[in-house]
Amino acid sequence: MLRYTLTRTGSLLISLIVASLVIFFTLEVVPGDPASFMLGINAQPETIAALREELGLNQSPWARYLSWITDLVQGDLGTSYTYRSPVSEIVAERLVISLPLAAYALALTILIAFPVGIWAATRRGSFADISVMGGTQLGIAIPNFWFAMLMVLVFAINLRWFSAGGFPGWDEGFWVSIKALTLPAISLALPQASILARVMRSSLLDTLDEDYIRTARAKGLTKGQALRGHALRNALIPVLTIIGLQFSFLLAGAIIIENVFFLPGLGRLVFQAISQRDLIVVESVVMLLVFAVIMVNFLVDLAYSWVDPRLRGRR
């Protein structure tokens, strides 16, 4: 287990280094002069020179990269040119919305997908199975922003059960805040639950056809006992992969949903920073999101070894 963990940790560090190089040189070196880009074509040479000095752009690219990485390791994400505030403070304010939203949406995804996928797998070829597969195909096909606007129309405007958008803040109370995140979370969860349910069904069907399941049934276990005791755990490996990818997507890819519901989250921050040409925010937040994605995948790899002990002896 220790060898497996160390191997995965090494892969994580290499991935982070490669990702940081790609992000830094794509945003700061390839486009040309970052100061000219941030200030626009009408900026005065004196203003550009002052910004270059402020950002340390007169140093060599490698010196700037090492300085940026050193600051990141120490928790310093730089200072936003637009907001004139530390990026770490801005990110912290947005994470208290984006992180609970992603966790809420992922919890809904799992609560919907697992029972639906298992139910469809145990009724393979039946009308119920066909209906579930058709419903999940529809869930994948419907754009989440269109579904979000439909939910606003029905539950916020017509029924008035939820607000149409905005976030009151956690100071207003836990349930008030959760209620404000419910429609966005459902909008994010619908396509992800559809994907996960199909993967759960497919993986479980493959497992139910294995010889050890037939042996377990021959020894007197019922179908439900064989499913719960043997098939389900072995079917979880591809499912865990999808869950890890989905959480990363829900955290980093909720830009459209956050704009539909006017949520001041991390995705909306990236969108605003790109619009305002604030490369410092874009660079730091993208690196933070990449770190979150890689870390989630690392945790999923560790979860593999818990689900399948055979992996603990492998590199």
Side-chain angles (χ1 to χ4, degrees), residues 241-304:
T241 302
I242 299 300
I243 291 176
L245 293 174
Q246 287 184 335
F247 182 77
S248 303
F249 169 79
L250 292 171
L251 181 61
I255 297 177
I256 296 177
I257 295 299
E258 288 183 357
N259 277 279
V260 170
F261 289 97
F262 301 101
L263 294 175
L266 207 56
R268 199 173 182 201
L269 173 63
V270 174
F271 178 80
Q272 292 171 337
I274 293 173
S275 302
Q276 297 162 349
R277 302 182 180 185
D278 195 337
L279 290 182
I280 301 172
V281 174
V282 174
E283 190 176 61
S284 299
V285 174
V286 169
M287 188 61 210
L288 183 65
L289 293 175
V290 168
F291 173 77
V293 171
I294 294 175
M295 182 58 68
V296 168
N297 289 332
F298 172 72
L299 295 176
V300 169
D301 285 341
L302 294 184
Y304 286 163

Short mmCIF file of all heavy atoms in Angstrom, two decimals, residues 241-304:
data_model
loop_
_atom_site.label_atom_id
_atom_site.label_comp_id
_atom_site.label_asym_id
_atom_site.label_seq_id
_atom_site.Cartn_x
_atom_site.Cartn_y
_atom_site.Cartn_z
N THR A 241 -13.99 6.43 -10.98
CA THR A 241 -13.32 7.29 -11.96
C THR A 241 -14.25 8.40 -12.42
O THR A 241 -13.87 9.58 -12.47
CB THR A 241 -12.87 6.46 -13.17
OG1 THR A 241 -11.99 5.44 -12.73
CG2 THR A 241 -12.15 7.34 -14.18
N ILE A 242 -15.47 8.03 -12.75
CA ILE A 242 -16.45 9.03 -13.22
C ILE A 242 -16.79 10.01 -12.10
O ILE A 242 -16.90 11.23 -12.35
CB ILE A 242 -17.72 8.32 -13.72
CG1 ILE A 242 -17.40 7.40 -14.90
CG2 ILE A 242 -18.77 9.34 -14.14
CD1 ILE A 242 -16.79 8.11 -16.09
N ILE A 243 -16.93 9.54 -10.86
CA ILE A 243 -17.24 10.43 -9.75
C ILE A 243 -16.13 11.46 -9.56
O ILE A 243 -16.39 12.65 -9.34
CB ILE A 243 -17.47 9.63 -8.46
CG1 ILE A 243 -18.77 8.82 -8.56
CG2 ILE A 243 -17.53 10.55 -7.24
CD1 ILE A 243 -19.03 7.93 -7.37
N GLY A 244 -14.87 11.01 -9.64
CA GLY A 244 -13.76 11.95 -9.51
C GLY A 244 -13.76 13.00 -10.60
O GLY A 244 -13.57 14.19 -10.34
N LEU A 245 -13.99 12.57 -11.82
CA LEU A 245 -14.04 13.51 -12.94
C LEU A 245 -15.22 14.47 -12.79
O LEU A 245 -15.12 15.65 -13.12
CB LEU A 245 -14.14 12.75 -14.26
CG LEU A 245 -12.90 11.92 -14.65
CD1 LEU A 245 -13.20 11.10 -15.90
CD2 LEU A 245 -11.70 12.82 -14.88
N GLN A 246 -16.34 13.95 -12.31
CA GLN A 246 -17.52 14.79 -12.17
C GLN A 246 -17.34 15.85 -11.11
O GLN A 246 -17.77 17.00 -11.30
CB GLN A 246 -18.74 13.92 -11.86
CG GLN A 246 -19.23 13.12 -13.05
CD GLN A 246 -20.50 12.34 -12.75
OE1 GLN A 246 -20.78 12.00 -11.60
NE2 GLN A 246 -21.28 12.04 -13.77
N PHE A 247 -16.71 15.51 -9.99
CA PHE A 247 -16.50 16.52 -8.96
C PHE A 247 -15.60 17.63 -9.48
O PHE A 247 -15.83 18.81 -9.22
CB PHE A 247 -15.90 15.90 -7.70
CG PHE A 247 -15.71 16.90 -6.59
CD1 PHE A 247 -16.81 17.33 -5.84
CD2 PHE A 247 -14.47 17.43 -6.31
CE1 PHE A 247 -16.65 18.27 -4.83
CE2 PHE A 247 -14.30 18.36 -5.30
CZ PHE A 247 -15.39 18.78 -4.56
N SER A 248 -14.57 17.24 -10.22
CA SER A 248 -13.68 18.24 -10.81
C SER A 248 -14.44 19.14 -11.78
O SER A 248 -14.26 20.36 -11.79
CB SER A 248 -12.53 17.54 -11.55
OG SER A 248 -11.83 16.69 -10.67
N PHE A 249 -15.32 18.53 -12.58
CA PHE A 249 -16.11 19.32 -13.52
C PHE A 249 -17.08 20.24 -12.77
O PHE A 249 -17.24 21.41 -13.14
CB PHE A 249 -16.90 18.40 -14.45
CG PHE A 249 -17.94 19.12 -15.27
CD1 PHE A 249 -17.58 19.84 -16.39
CD2 PHE A 249 -19.27 19.09 -14.89
CE1 PHE A 249 -18.53 20.52 -17.14
CE2 PHE A 249 -20.24 19.76 -15.63
CZ PHE A 249 -19.87 20.48 -16.75
N LEU A 250 -17.71 19.73 -11.74
CA LEU A 250 -18.68 20.53 -11.00
C LEU A 250 -18.02 21.71 -10.30
O LEU A 250 -18.63 22.77 -10.16
CB LEU A 250 -19.40 19.65 -9.97
CG LEU A 250 -20.33 18.58 -10.55
CD1 LEU A 250 -20.80 17.63 -9.45
CD2 LEU A 250 -21.52 19.20 -11.27
N LEU A 251 -16.77 21.54 -9.89
CA LEU A 251 -16.07 22.63 -9.22
C LEU A 251 -15.55 23.65 -10.22
O LEU A 251 -15.65 24.87 -10.00
CB LEU A 251 -14.90 22.06 -8.40
CG LEU A 251 -14.06 23.07 -7.61
CD1 LEU A 251 -14.93 23.80 -6.58
CD2 LEU A 251 -12.91 22.37 -6.92
N ALA A 252 -15.02 23.17 -11.33
CA ALA A 252 -14.36 24.07 -12.28
C ALA A 252 -15.23 24.46 -13.46
O ALA A 252 -14.96 25.47 -14.12
CB ALA A 252 -13.07 23.43 -12.80
N GLY A 253 -16.25 23.69 -13.75
CA GLY A 253 -17.00 23.91 -14.98
C GLY A 253 -18.40 24.46 -14.81
O GLY A 253 -19.24 24.29 -15.70
N ALA A 254 -18.67 25.09 -13.68
CA ALA A 254 -20.02 25.59 -13.42
C ALA A 254 -20.18 27.06 -13.81
O ALA A 254 -21.02 27.76 -13.26
CB ALA A 254 -20.36 25.41 -11.94
N ILE A 255 -19.38 27.52 -14.79
CA ILE A 255 -19.40 28.94 -15.15
C ILE A 255 -20.79 29.35 -15.64
O ILE A 255 -21.33 30.37 -15.23
CB ILE A 255 -18.34 29.23 -16.23
CG1 ILE A 255 -16.95 28.94 -15.68
CG2 ILE A 255 -18.43 30.66 -16.71
CD1 ILE A 255 -15.84 29.12 -16.69
N ILE A 256 -21.37 28.55 -16.53
CA ILE A 256 -22.67 28.91 -17.12
C ILE A 256 -23.75 28.92 -16.06
O ILE A 256 -24.56 29.86 -15.97
CB ILE A 256 -23.03 27.95 -18.27
CG1 ILE A 256 -22.00 28.07 -19.40
CG2 ILE A 256 -24.43 28.22 -18.79
CD1 ILE A 256 -22.23 27.10 -20.54
N ILE A 257 -23.79 27.88 -15.23
CA ILE A 257 -24.83 27.78 -14.20
C ILE A 257 -24.69 28.92 -13.20
O ILE A 257 -25.70 29.51 -12.77
CB ILE A 257 -24.76 26.42 -13.49
CG1 ILE A 257 -25.10 25.29 -14.47
CG2 ILE A 257 -25.71 26.38 -12.31
CD1 ILE A 257 -26.48 25.38 -15.07
N GLU A 258 -23.47 29.25 -12.82
CA GLU A 258 -23.28 30.35 -11.87
C GLU A 258 -23.72 31.68 -12.47
O GLU A 258 -24.21 32.56 -11.74
CB GLU A 258 -21.81 30.43 -11.45
CG GLU A 258 -21.39 29.30 -10.53
CD GLU A 258 -19.96 29.42 -10.05
OE1 GLU A 258 -19.26 30.36 -10.49
OE2 GLU A 258 -19.54 28.57 -9.25
N ASN A 259 -23.60 31.83 -13.77
CA ASN A 259 -24.08 33.06 -14.41
C ASN A 259 -25.59 33.06 -14.56
O ASN A 259 -26.22 34.11 -14.45
CB ASN A 259 -23.41 33.21 -15.78
CG ASN A 259 -22.03 33.84 -15.70
OD1 ASN A 259 -21.87 35.05 -15.60
ND2 ASN A 259 -21.01 32.99 -15.70
N VAL A 260 -26.19 31.90 -14.81
CA VAL A 260 -27.66 31.82 -14.90
C VAL A 260 -28.30 32.22 -13.58
O VAL A 260 -29.30 32.95 -13.54
CB VAL A 260 -28.10 30.41 -15.32
CG1 VAL A 260 -29.62 30.25 -15.17
CG2 VAL A 260 -27.70 30.13 -16.76
N PHE A 261 -27.72 31.75 -12.47
CA PHE A 261 -28.30 32.00 -11.15
C PHE A 261 -27.61 33.16 -10.42
O PHE A 261 -27.87 33.35 -9.23
CB PHE A 261 -28.21 30.73 -10.29
CG PHE A 261 -29.15 29.64 -10.74
CD1 PHE A 261 -28.70 28.63 -11.57
CD2 PHE A 261 -30.47 29.64 -10.36
CE1 PHE A 261 -29.55 27.61 -11.99
CE2 PHE A 261 -31.34 28.64 -10.76
CZ PHE A 261 -30.88 27.62 -11.58
N PHE A 262 -26.73 33.89 -11.10
CA PHE A 262 -26.04 35.05 -10.51
C PHE A 262 -25.33 34.69 -9.21
O PHE A 262 -25.42 35.41 -8.21
CB PHE A 262 -27.04 36.19 -10.27
CG PHE A 262 -27.73 36.65 -11.50
CD1 PHE A 262 -29.03 36.25 -11.78
CD2 PHE A 262 -27.10 37.48 -12.42
CE1 PHE A 262 -29.69 36.65 -12.93
CE2 PHE A 262 -27.75 37.89 -13.57
CZ PHE A 262 -29.04 37.48 -13.83
N LEU A 263 -24.64 33.56 -9.23
CA LEU A 263 -23.89 33.12 -8.05
C LEU A 263 -22.45 33.62 -8.16
O LEU A 263 -21.77 33.34 -9.15
CB LEU A 263 -23.90 31.60 -7.95
CG LEU A 263 -25.26 30.93 -7.70
CD1 LEU A 263 -25.11 29.42 -7.74
CD2 LEU A 263 -25.83 31.37 -6.36
N PRO A 264 -21.98 34.34 -7.17
CA PRO A 264 -20.59 34.84 -7.22
C PRO A 264 -19.60 33.76 -6.83
O PRO A 264 -18.92 33.84 -5.80
CB PRO A 264 -20.62 35.99 -6.20
CG PRO A 264 -21.66 35.57 -5.21
CD PRO A 264 -22.71 34.82 -5.99
N GLY A 265 -19.49 32.73 -7.67
CA GLY A 265 -18.61 31.61 -7.39
C GLY A 265 -17.31 31.68 -8.15
O GLY A 265 -16.99 32.67 -8.82
N LEU A 266 -16.55 30.59 -8.07
CA LEU A 266 -15.23 30.55 -8.67
C LEU A 266 -15.30 30.56 -10.20
O LEU A 266 -14.49 31.19 -10.86
CB LEU A 266 -14.50 29.29 -8.19
CG LEU A 266 -12.98 29.34 -8.16
CD1 LEU A 266 -12.48 30.50 -7.31
CD2 LEU A 266 -12.43 28.02 -7.63
N GLY A 267 -16.27 29.84 -10.76
CA GLY A 267 -16.42 29.83 -12.21
C GLY A 267 -16.72 31.20 -12.76
O GLY A 267 -16.17 31.61 -13.79
N ARG A 268 -17.59 31.92 -12.09
CA ARG A 268 -17.92 33.27 -12.53
C ARG A 268 -16.73 34.22 -12.38
O ARG A 268 -16.55 35.15 -13.18
CB ARG A 268 -19.11 33.80 -11.74
CG ARG A 268 -19.81 34.97 -12.41
CD ARG A 268 -21.07 35.34 -11.69
NE ARG A 268 -21.76 36.44 -12.38
CZ ARG A 268 -22.64 37.23 -11.80
NH1 ARG A 268 -22.96 37.05 -10.54
NH2 ARG A 268 -23.21 38.19 -12.48
N LEU A 269 -15.90 33.97 -11.36
CA LEU A 269 -14.70 34.78 -11.17
C LEU A 269 -13.76 34.63 -12.36
O LEU A 269 -13.21 35.62 -12.86
CB LEU A 269 -14.00 34.37 -9.88
CG LEU A 269 -12.63 35.02 -9.62
CD1 LEU A 269 -12.76 36.53 -9.47
CD2 LEU A 269 -11.96 34.42 -8.38
N VAL A 270 -13.58 33.39 -12.82
CA VAL A 270 -12.71 33.16 -13.98
C VAL A 270 -13.28 33.86 -15.21
O VAL A 270 -12.54 34.49 -15.98
CB VAL A 270 -12.56 31.64 -14.24
CG1 VAL A 270 -11.78 31.39 -15.53
CG2 VAL A 270 -11.86 30.97 -13.08
N PHE A 271 -14.57 33.75 -15.40
CA PHE A 271 -15.22 34.40 -16.55
C PHE A 271 -15.02 35.91 -16.49
O PHE A 271 -14.68 36.55 -17.50
CB PHE A 271 -16.71 34.06 -16.55
CG PHE A 271 -17.48 34.71 -17.66
CD1 PHE A 271 -17.45 34.19 -18.95
CD2 PHE A 271 -18.24 35.85 -17.42
CE1 PHE A 271 -18.17 34.79 -19.97
CE2 PHE A 271 -18.95 36.46 -18.44
CZ PHE A 271 -18.92 35.92 -19.72
N GLN A 272 -15.21 36.50 -15.31
CA GLN A 272 -15.03 37.95 -15.17
C GLN A 272 -13.57 38.35 -15.36
O GLN A 272 -13.28 39.38 -15.98
CB GLN A 272 -15.52 38.39 -13.79
CG GLN A 272 -17.02 38.27 -13.61
CD GLN A 272 -17.46 38.51 -12.17
OE1 GLN A 272 -16.67 38.35 -11.24
NE2 GLN A 272 -18.73 38.87 -11.99
N ALA A 273 -12.65 37.54 -14.85
CA ALA A 273 -11.23 37.86 -14.98
C ALA A 273 -10.79 37.82 -16.44
O ALA A 273 -9.99 38.65 -16.88
CB ALA A 273 -10.39 36.89 -14.15
N ILE A 274 -11.30 36.86 -17.20
CA ILE A 274 -10.98 36.80 -18.62
C ILE A 274 -11.54 38.02 -19.34
O ILE A 274 -10.86 38.63 -20.18
CB ILE A 274 -11.53 35.50 -19.24
CG1 ILE A 274 -10.80 34.28 -18.66
CG2 ILE A 274 -11.40 35.52 -20.76
CD1 ILE A 274 -11.39 32.96 -19.09
N SER A 275 -12.77 38.40 -19.00
CA SER A 275 -13.38 39.58 -19.64
C SER A 275 -12.61 40.86 -19.31
O SER A 275 -12.51 41.76 -20.15
CB SER A 275 -14.84 39.72 -19.18
OG SER A 275 -15.58 38.57 -19.49
N GLN A 276 -12.07 40.93 -18.09
CA GLN A 276 -11.36 42.13 -17.65
C GLN A 276 -9.85 42.05 -17.91
O GLN A 276 -9.11 42.94 -17.50
CB GLN A 276 -11.61 42.34 -16.15
CG GLN A 276 -13.08 42.61 -15.83
CD GLN A 276 -13.40 42.39 -14.36
OE1 GLN A 276 -12.59 41.85 -13.60
NE2 GLN A 276 -14.59 42.81 -13.95
N ARG A 277 -9.42 40.98 -18.57
CA ARG A 277 -8.00 40.77 -18.90
C ARG A 277 -7.10 40.78 -17.67
O ARG A 277 -5.96 41.25 -17.72
CB ARG A 277 -7.52 41.85 -19.89
CG ARG A 277 -8.31 41.90 -21.18
CD ARG A 277 -7.74 42.94 -22.11
NE ARG A 277 -8.49 43.00 -23.36
CZ ARG A 277 -8.16 43.75 -24.40
NH1 ARG A 277 -7.08 44.52 -24.33
NH2 ARG A 277 -8.89 43.75 -25.50
N ASP A 278 -7.62 40.25 -16.58
CA ASP A 278 -6.83 40.17 -15.35
C ASP A 278 -6.07 38.84 -15.35
O ASP A 278 -6.52 37.84 -14.78
CB ASP A 278 -7.75 40.27 -14.13
CG ASP A 278 -6.99 40.57 -12.86
OD1 ASP A 278 -5.78 40.27 -12.81
OD2 ASP A 278 -7.59 41.10 -11.90
N LEU A 279 -4.91 38.83 -15.99
CA LEU A 279 -4.15 37.59 -16.14
C LEU A 279 -3.69 37.02 -14.81
O LEU A 279 -3.50 35.81 -14.69
CB LEU A 279 -2.93 37.84 -17.03
CG LEU A 279 -3.21 38.10 -18.52
CD1 LEU A 279 -1.89 38.26 -19.27
CD2 LEU A 279 -4.01 36.96 -19.13
N ILE A 280 -3.48 37.85 -13.83
CA ILE A 280 -3.02 37.37 -12.52
C ILE A 280 -4.07 36.47 -11.89
O ILE A 280 -3.77 35.39 -11.37
CB ILE A 280 -2.69 38.56 -11.60
CG1 ILE A 280 -1.62 39.44 -12.24
CG2 ILE A 280 -2.25 38.08 -10.23
CD1 ILE A 280 -1.37 40.72 -11.52
N VAL A 281 -5.33 36.91 -11.95
CA VAL A 281 -6.42 36.09 -11.40
C VAL A 281 -6.61 34.83 -12.22
O VAL A 281 -6.75 33.73 -11.68
CB VAL A 281 -7.73 36.92 -11.35
CG1 VAL A 281 -8.90 36.03 -10.94
CG2 VAL A 281 -7.59 38.09 -10.40
N VAL A 282 -6.61 34.98 -13.55
CA VAL A 282 -6.81 33.82 -14.42
C VAL A 282 -5.73 32.78 -14.17
O VAL A 282 -6.02 31.59 -14.00
CB VAL A 282 -6.80 34.25 -15.90
CG1 VAL A 282 -6.87 33.02 -16.81
CG2 VAL A 282 -7.97 35.18 -16.19
N GLU A 283 -4.49 33.20 -14.13
CA GLU A 283 -3.36 32.30 -13.95
C GLU A 283 -3.45 31.55 -12.63
O GLU A 283 -3.30 30.32 -12.57
CB GLU A 283 -2.07 33.12 -14.02
CG GLU A 283 -0.80 32.32 -14.08
CD GLU A 283 0.39 33.26 -14.24
OE1 GLU A 283 0.60 34.10 -13.34
OE2 GLU A 283 1.08 33.16 -15.26
N SER A 284 -3.71 32.29 -11.56
CA SER A 284 -3.73 31.68 -10.24
C SER A 284 -4.94 30.77 -10.05
O SER A 284 -4.82 29.66 -9.51
CB SER A 284 -3.74 32.77 -9.16
OG SER A 284 -2.58 33.57 -9.25
N VAL A 285 -6.10 31.22 -10.50
CA VAL A 285 -7.32 30.41 -10.31
C VAL A 285 -7.27 29.16 -11.17
O VAL A 285 -7.66 28.07 -10.72
CB VAL A 285 -8.57 31.26 -10.63
CG1 VAL A 285 -9.82 30.37 -10.58
CG2 VAL A 285 -8.71 32.39 -9.63
N VAL A 286 -6.80 29.28 -12.41
CA VAL A 286 -6.69 28.09 -13.26
C VAL A 286 -5.73 27.08 -12.65
O VAL A 286 -6.01 25.88 -12.63
CB VAL A 286 -6.24 28.49 -14.68
CG1 VAL A 286 -5.87 27.25 -15.49
CG2 VAL A 286 -7.34 29.25 -15.39
N MET A 287 -4.62 27.54 -12.10
CA MET A 287 -3.68 26.63 -11.45
C MET A 287 -4.32 25.99 -10.22
O MET A 287 -4.12 24.79 -9.96
CB MET A 287 -2.42 27.40 -11.04
CG MET A 287 -1.30 26.49 -10.51
SD MET A 287 -0.74 25.31 -11.74
CE MET A 287 -0.23 23.94 -10.70
N LEU A 288 -5.10 26.75 -9.49
CA LEU A 288 -5.79 26.21 -8.32
C LEU A 288 -6.80 25.14 -8.73
O LEU A 288 -6.91 24.09 -8.09
CB LEU A 288 -6.49 27.34 -7.57
CG LEU A 288 -7.19 26.97 -6.26
CD1 LEU A 288 -6.18 26.49 -5.24
CD2 LEU A 288 -7.98 28.15 -5.72
N LEU A 289 -7.52 25.39 -9.82
CA LEU A 289 -8.49 24.42 -10.30
C LEU A 289 -7.80 23.15 -10.82
O LEU A 289 -8.29 22.04 -10.61
CB LEU A 289 -9.36 25.04 -11.39
CG LEU A 289 -10.29 26.17 -10.94
CD1 LEU A 289 -11.01 26.78 -12.13
CD2 LEU A 289 -11.31 25.65 -9.92
N VAL A 290 -6.68 23.35 -11.51
CA VAL A 290 -5.90 22.19 -11.98
C VAL A 290 -5.42 21.36 -10.79
O VAL A 290 -5.48 20.12 -10.80
CB VAL A 290 -4.72 22.65 -12.84
CG1 VAL A 290 -3.75 21.49 -13.09
CG2 VAL A 290 -5.21 23.20 -14.17
N PHE A 291 -4.97 22.04 -9.75
CA PHE A 291 -4.54 21.34 -8.53
C PHE A 291 -5.70 20.54 -7.94
O PHE A 291 -5.52 19.39 -7.51
CB PHE A 291 -4.00 22.34 -7.51
CG PHE A 291 -3.71 21.74 -6.16
CD1 PHE A 291 -2.56 20.99 -5.97
CD2 PHE A 291 -4.59 21.92 -5.11
CE1 PHE A 291 -2.29 20.42 -4.73
CE2 PHE A 291 -4.32 21.35 -3.87
CZ PHE A 291 -3.17 20.60 -3.67
N ALA A 292 -6.89 21.15 -7.91
CA ALA A 292 -8.05 20.44 -7.37
C ALA A 292 -8.38 19.21 -8.20
O ALA A 292 -8.68 18.13 -7.65
CB ALA A 292 -9.25 21.39 -7.32
N VAL A 293 -8.32 19.33 -9.52
CA VAL A 293 -8.61 18.20 -10.41
C VAL A 293 -7.60 17.07 -10.19
O VAL A 293 -7.98 15.90 -10.05
CB VAL A 293 -8.60 18.66 -11.88
CG1 VAL A 293 -8.68 17.45 -12.81
CG2 VAL A 293 -9.77 19.60 -12.15
N ILE A 294 -6.32 17.42 -10.15
CA ILE A 294 -5.28 16.40 -9.98
C ILE A 294 -5.38 15.76 -8.60
O ILE A 294 -5.21 14.54 -8.45
CB ILE A 294 -3.89 17.02 -10.19
CG1 ILE A 294 -3.74 17.47 -11.66
CG2 ILE A 294 -2.79 16.04 -9.84
CD1 ILE A 294 -2.45 18.19 -11.95
N MET A 295 -5.68 16.56 -7.58
CA MET A 295 -5.82 16.02 -6.23
C MET A 295 -7.00 15.07 -6.12
O MET A 295 -6.92 14.01 -5.46
CB MET A 295 -5.95 17.16 -5.22
CG MET A 295 -6.05 16.70 -3.77
SD MET A 295 -4.64 15.71 -3.23
CE MET A 295 -3.34 16.95 -3.25
N VAL A 296 -8.12 15.42 -6.75
CA VAL A 296 -9.28 14.54 -6.74
C VAL A 296 -8.94 13.22 -7.43
O VAL A 296 -9.30 12.13 -6.94
CB VAL A 296 -10.49 15.22 -7.42
CG1 VAL A 296 -11.60 14.20 -7.68
CG2 VAL A 296 -11.02 16.34 -6.54
N ASN A 297 -8.25 13.28 -8.55
CA ASN A 297 -7.85 12.05 -9.25
C ASN A 297 -6.89 11.22 -8.38
O ASN A 297 -6.95 9.99 -8.41
CB ASN A 297 -7.19 12.39 -10.58
CG ASN A 297 -8.19 12.91 -11.59
OD1 ASN A 297 -9.37 12.59 -11.55
ND2 ASN A 297 -7.73 13.73 -12.52
N PHE A 298 -6.03 11.89 -7.63
CA PHE A 298 -5.13 11.19 -6.71
C PHE A 298 -5.92 10.46 -5.64
O PHE A 298 -5.64 9.29 -5.32
CB PHE A 298 -4.17 12.21 -6.09
CG PHE A 298 -3.32 11.65 -4.98
CD1 PHE A 298 -2.28 10.78 -5.25
CD2 PHE A 298 -3.56 12.00 -3.66
CE1 PHE A 298 -1.49 10.27 -4.22
CE2 PHE A 298 -2.78 11.50 -2.64
CZ PHE A 298 -1.75 10.63 -2.91
N LEU A 299 -6.92 11.12 -5.08
CA LEU A 299 -7.75 10.48 -4.06
C LEU A 299 -8.56 9.32 -4.65
O LEU A 299 -8.79 8.31 -3.97
CB LEU A 299 -8.69 11.52 -3.43
CG LEU A 299 -8.00 12.63 -2.64
CD1 LEU A 299 -9.02 13.66 -2.14
CD2 LEU A 299 -7.23 12.05 -1.46
N VAL A 300 -8.98 9.47 -5.90
CA VAL A 300 -9.69 8.37 -6.57
C VAL A 300 -8.76 7.17 -6.74
O VAL A 300 -9.18 6.02 -6.53
CB VAL A 300 -10.24 8.84 -7.93
CG1 VAL A 300 -10.74 7.65 -8.75
CG2 VAL A 300 -11.38 9.82 -7.72
N ASP A 301 -7.50 7.42 -7.10
CA ASP A 301 -6.54 6.33 -7.22
C ASP A 301 -6.35 5.61 -5.89
O ASP A 301 -6.24 4.37 -5.86
CB ASP A 301 -5.19 6.87 -7.70
CG ASP A 301 -5.20 7.21 -9.18
OD1 ASP A 301 -6.09 6.71 -9.90
OD2 ASP A 301 -4.33 8.00 -9.62
N LEU A 302 -6.32 6.36 -4.80
CA LEU A 302 -6.20 5.73 -3.49
C LEU A 302 -7.47 4.94 -3.16
O LEU A 302 -7.39 3.88 -2.53
CB LEU A 302 -5.95 6.79 -2.41
CG LEU A 302 -4.62 7.54 -2.48
CD1 LEU A 302 -4.48 8.48 -1.29
CD2 LEU A 302 -3.45 6.58 -2.53
N ALA A 303 -8.61 5.45 -3.59
CA ALA A 303 -9.86 4.72 -3.36
C ALA A 303 -9.89 3.41 -4.13
O ALA A 303 -10.49 2.43 -3.68
CB ALA A 303 -11.05 5.59 -3.75
N TYR A 304 -9.21 3.36 -5.28
CA TYR A 304 -9.12 2.11 -6.03
C TYR A 304 -8.53 1.00 -5.17
O TYR A 304 -9.00 -0.14 -5.19
CB TYR A 304 -8.23 2.28 -7.26
CG TYR A 304 -8.82 3.06 -8.39
CD1 TYR A 304 -8.00 3.57 -9.40
CD2 TYR A 304 -10.19 3.30 -8.50
CE1 TYR A 304 -8.53 4.29 -10.46
CE2 TYR A 304 -10.72 4.03 -9.55
CZ TYR A 304 -9.88 4.52 -10.52
OH TYR A 304 -10.40 5.23 -11.56
#
